[in-house]
C-alpha cells in the first residue's frame, strides 16, 4: 500500500488534465511523473512505520512507451524496531507493463532500503500485478514474493531464531476502486495477506510481524485539480494476545504509550501530482 497514494495522485492529475495535454503526453516516448504527500500515519501492510505519527512521502517514475518503467519512492520512519541512521526509507523499483486483453500485466522488483541502519536491513522483492476493469470498477490483483534473505530472517530471542537466519516473505493483495459519476470522489478498498517469519529481523523489525496476518483498508479520495484529499480506515487481524505478538514486545508497539501499531486506525492524507 505504500505506493497507493502515489498512484492515486498521478491518476487524479491525469484525469484533471485537458485533452490537449493528455494527447501530447501520449505522443511522448518517455514520460516522467511524480507525487508528494503528507499522511497522518505511514502504514505498510497495515502496520505503522512512524509510531502512529505523520510522514512526508514522495517519488518519481519514468515510463517508456515500450512499457518499461523505473523510479523511486521515499518516506520518513520511526518507532517500529530500530531503523537506525536517519530513519528514512528510500525504495527503488523497476518493471515492465504490457497490455493483456482489456487489462495490463505489470511485473517488476522493489528494493527496500534503510540507510544508516543495520547492514542487513535492505531486501529485494519481485512482484506481479494484473489490473483490469469490471464495468465502472477498477480491479487489481498482486503477488509479491521476496526470496530468502538475511534481512527477512528470524533473529529474535526465541528457540526458532538464530543470528544470520534467512527467510522468505509472501504478500498477496487485491485492490478495487470506482469513481462516483460527475463528482471528484473515488471509493477504494484493499485487502492483503502476509506470510513471513513470526519473529524479529536483524534490526528489530519484520516484514510480516507475527508471521501470518490479514490487513485491509476502506477509503475515499477527493480530487481537487492536482491535489487529492484522502480518508481511510485500516486494520489487521493480528491477535495482541497471541504468543507471536507477545514475543515481538516491546518493539512491536508505540513508543509513546505502548499501544499496538497494528490496530485499526483512521488515516488522513493530502497529496499532489506533477
Amino acid at each position: 500500500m505504500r505506493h497507493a497514494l502515489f498512484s492515486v495522485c498521478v491518476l487524479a492529475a491525469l484525469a484533471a488534465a485537458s485533452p490537449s495535454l493528455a494527447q501530447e503526453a501520449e505522443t511522448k516516448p518517455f514520460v516522467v511523473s511524480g507525487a508528494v504527500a503528507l499522511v497522518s500515519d505511514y502504514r505498510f501492510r497495515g502496520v505503522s512505520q512512524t509510531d502512529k505519527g505523520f510522514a512526508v512521502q514522495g517519488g518519481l517514475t519514468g515510463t517508456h512507451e515500450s512499457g518499461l518503467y523505473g523510479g523511486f519512492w521515499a518516506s520518513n520512519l520511526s518507532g517500529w524496531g530500530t531503523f537506525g541512521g536517519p530513519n528514512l526509507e528510500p525504495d527503488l523499483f523497476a518493471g515492465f507493463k504490457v497490455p493483456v486483453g482489456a487489462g495490463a500485466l505489470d511485473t517488476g522488483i522493489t528494493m527496500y532500503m534503510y540507510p544508516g541502519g543495520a547492514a542487513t536491513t535492505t531486501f529485494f522483492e519481485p512482484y506481479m500485478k494484473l489490473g483490469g476493469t469490471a464495468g465502472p470498477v477498477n480491479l487489481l490483483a498482486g503477488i509479491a514474493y521476496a526470496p530468502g534473505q538475511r534481512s527477512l530472517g528470524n533473529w529474535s530471542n526465541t528457540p526458532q531464531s538464530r543470528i544470520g537466519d534467512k527467510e522468505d516473505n509472501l504478500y498477496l493483495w487485491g485492490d478495487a476502486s470506482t469513481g462516483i459519476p460527475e463528482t471528484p470522489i473515488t471509493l477504494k478498498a484493499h485487502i492483503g495477506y502476509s506470510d513471513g517469519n513470526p519473529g524479529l529481523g536483524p534490526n528489530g523489525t519484520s516484514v510480516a510481524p507475527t508471521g501470518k496476518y490479514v490487513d485491509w483498508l476502506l477509503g475515499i479520495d477527493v480530487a481537487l485539480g492536482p491535489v487529492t484529499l484522502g480518508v481511510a480506515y485500516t486494520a489487521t487481524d493480528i491477535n495482541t494476545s497471541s504468543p507471536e505478538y507477545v514475543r515481538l514486545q516491546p518493539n512491536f508497539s508505540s513508543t509513546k504509550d505502548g499501544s499496538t501499531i497494528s490496530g485499526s486506525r483512521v488515516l488522513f492524507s493530502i497529496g499532489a501530482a506533477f
Side-chain angles (χ1 to χ4, degrees):
M1 286 296 291
R2 65 184 66 202
H3 304 300
L5 181 60
F6 177 85
S7 301
V8 168
C9 290
V10 172
L11 290 173
L14 292 177
S18 67
S20 60
L21 290 177
Q23 293 170 1
E24 179 182 352
E26 291 175 357
T27 62
K28 294 181 179 180
F30 184 78
V31 177
V32 177
S33 59
V36 293
L38 174 67
V39 297
S40 61
D41 187 0
Y42 169 22
R43 292 274 171 143
F44 178 50
R45 299 174 183 174
V47 178
S48 177
Q49 309 291 288
T50 49
D51 201 18
K52 301 199 289 189
F54 282 85
V56 178
Q57 305 174 335
L60 289 173
T61 301
T63 305
H64 189 262
E65 61 183 359
S66 64
L68 289 170
Y69 66 87
F72 73 90
W73 181 91
S75 176
N76 61 284
L77 306 163
S78 68
W80 172 209
T82 306
F83 288 104
N87 283 318
L88 179 68
E89 178 196 332
D91 301 337
L92 301 178
F93 58 89
F96 184 59
K97 189 173 184 179
V98 295
V100 175
L105 179 65
D106 183 351
T107 58
I109 186 169
T110 302
M111 178 181 180
Y112 298 93
M113 299 181 293
Y114 307 90
T120 50
T121 52
T122 295
F123 69 96
F124 298 86
E125 185 181 66
Y127 59 82
M128 180 178 294
K129 299 181 287 186
L130 179 63
T133 59
V137 181
N138 298 310
L139 299 172
L140 183 143
I143 176 172
Y145 177 72
Q149 298 165 65
R150 286 162 58 91
S151 55
L152 304 176
N154 186 349
W155 294 37
S156 54
N157 187 23
T158 67
Q160 297 78 25
S161 66
R162 62 181 177 83
I163 300 300
D165 180 43
K166 295 182 180 180
E167 299 286 346
D168 60 358
N169 192 88
L170 174 68
Y171 187 64
L172 307 173
W173 80 95
D175 295 335
S177 65
T178 185
I180 299 179
E182 300 182 6
T183 75
I185 297 174
T186 297
L187 307 178
K188 62 183 181 182
H190 162 86
I191 187 168
Y193 170 75
S194 294
D195 186 350
N197 90 75
L200 296 174
N203 216 32
T205 62
S206 178
V207 178
T210 73
K212 300 177 181 179
Y213 74 97
V214 175
D215 70 275
W216 63 90
L217 178 146
L218 296 172
I220 300 174
D221 289 325
V222 180
L224 304 174
V227 175
T228 298
L229 305 177
V231 59
Y233 174 84
T234 187
T236 73
D237 70 344
I238 292 177
N239 181 0
T240 58
S241 62
S242 69
E244 291 81 8
Y245 178 86
V246 174
R247 283 201 298 264
L248 296 176
Q249 301 308 306
N251 296 71
F252 193 60
S253 61
S254 170
T255 58
K256 295 179 290 188
D257 56 16
S259 62
T260 176
I261 55 174
S262 61
S264 60
R265 191 168 178 83
V266 177
L267 309 177
F268 299 94
S269 63
I270 178 171
F274 53 89

